[in-house]
Amino acid sequence: LAVAFLAALSSAPARADNGNWLSNIYGGIRVGDSTSSVTAAKLTSDLRADGYQITAAGAERGTAGGTLYLGYELRNNFAVEIAGTYVGRTRAALEGVPPAKLGPLLADTAHIVRGSGDIVALEARYRWPLAHAIDLDLRAGPYFWLTTSDVCVSGVDKLTRSDNGLGYTLGVGPRFALGQHVGIGVSAEYFNSTSQNQFWQFSATLEYHFR
């Protein structure tokens, strides 16, 4: 997908409907739920691998998520999109923490659960025609993430920390055209923020084309 996108971008001008570049612009929203690879059991395992003999009572996070995106269509069903996504805020709950190790433990816990929060992605999109008014959208690209993580011990918040970094996303979903301007669909998006924390977001999609 990436190689084909770069070839199309370098060898062909953007497609313009009716001679107006504005007709190539579209925008949309995806709303749904997200899941994280960091669970209480995984957090406990990772912390014990770091030498902490404690138990994570939970790795709580809001599952509601969504994406706003703006795209520009190129030739041969390719497009480039910029997207802003929210995949929830994480609150890690710990039990049985020795006071002497509290500082390093809090920092290591926040390091493990980071990667959620706000995401800004630059994606290549390929729209694969399947049937009349039905397409399959394929997306891929890098993103920047900004996380605020909360760590609590025995029910009391002990640390709030912000982290940021780079990841990559892959997405797929069918799209159904409702006339010239509007399309609806569903989407599955994979977000890889760190080696310890990845996300899946399953969404309904509404898209509008300015043509």
Side-chain angles (χ1 to χ4, degrees):
L1 177 61
V3 173
F5 168 73
L6 291 175
L9 186 62
S10 61
S11 64
R15 179 181 59 79
D17 293 338
N18 303 320
N20 183 359
W21 67 271
L22 287 173
S23 65
N24 290 353
I25 296 176
Y26 62 94
I29 183 171
R30 295 191 286 269
V31 179
D33 284 340
S34 62
T35 64
S36 171
S37 61
V38 174
T39 62
K42 186 177 186 302
L43 180 57
T44 297
S45 176
D46 288 349
L47 287 172
R48 290 187 176 182
D50 289 339
Y52 301 104
Q53 297 304 310
I54 59 91
T55 298
E60 306 161 0
R61 52 183 298 275
T63 60
T67 300
L68 288 173
Y69 63 94
L70 187 67
Y72 189 84
E73 292 184 325
L74 307 171
R75 286 184 55 181
N76 302 322
N77 299 323
F78 283 94
V80 61
E81 298 179 354
I82 184 168
T85 298
Y86 179 72
V87 290
R89 177 168 172 165
T90 301
R91 183 174 185 266
L94 306 178
E95 300 289 347
V97 178
K101 293 186 177 181
L102 184 58
L105 173 60
L106 295 177
D108 287 348
T109 301
H111 182 82
I112 292 171
V113 302
R114 67 199 172 109
S116 60
D118 298 308
I119 286 172
V120 178
L122 180 63
E123 301 176 62
R125 188 221 70 197
Y126 178 72
R127 179 156 288 166
W128 184 10
L130 298 179
H132 177 66
I134 302 176
D135 306 300
L136 183 67
D137 283 352
L138 305 172
R139 291 182 173 87
Y143 65 80
F144 172 82
W145 55 263
L146 178 63
T147 294
T148 300
S149 303
D150 301 309
V151 183
C152 73
V153 178
S154 300
V156 179
D157 288 343
K158 294 293 185 178
L159 176 70
T160 297
R161 194 176 90 172
S162 295
D163 293 280
N164 60 75
L166 297 176
Y168 68 88
T169 180
L170 304 170
V172 62
R175 175 186 178 273
F176 307 91
L178 301 178
Q180 183 180 8
H181 298 285
V182 179
I184 60 172
V186 293
S187 178
E189 309 283 333
Y190 171 74
F191 297 93
N192 188 308
S193 291
T194 69
S195 60
Q196 295 165 306
N197 206 358
Q198 301 88 41
F199 305 89
W200 278 97
Q201 181 168 281
F202 301 94
S203 309
T205 300
L206 175 65
E207 189 173 284
Y208 184 83
H209 286 251
F210 298 89
R211 55 177 170 229

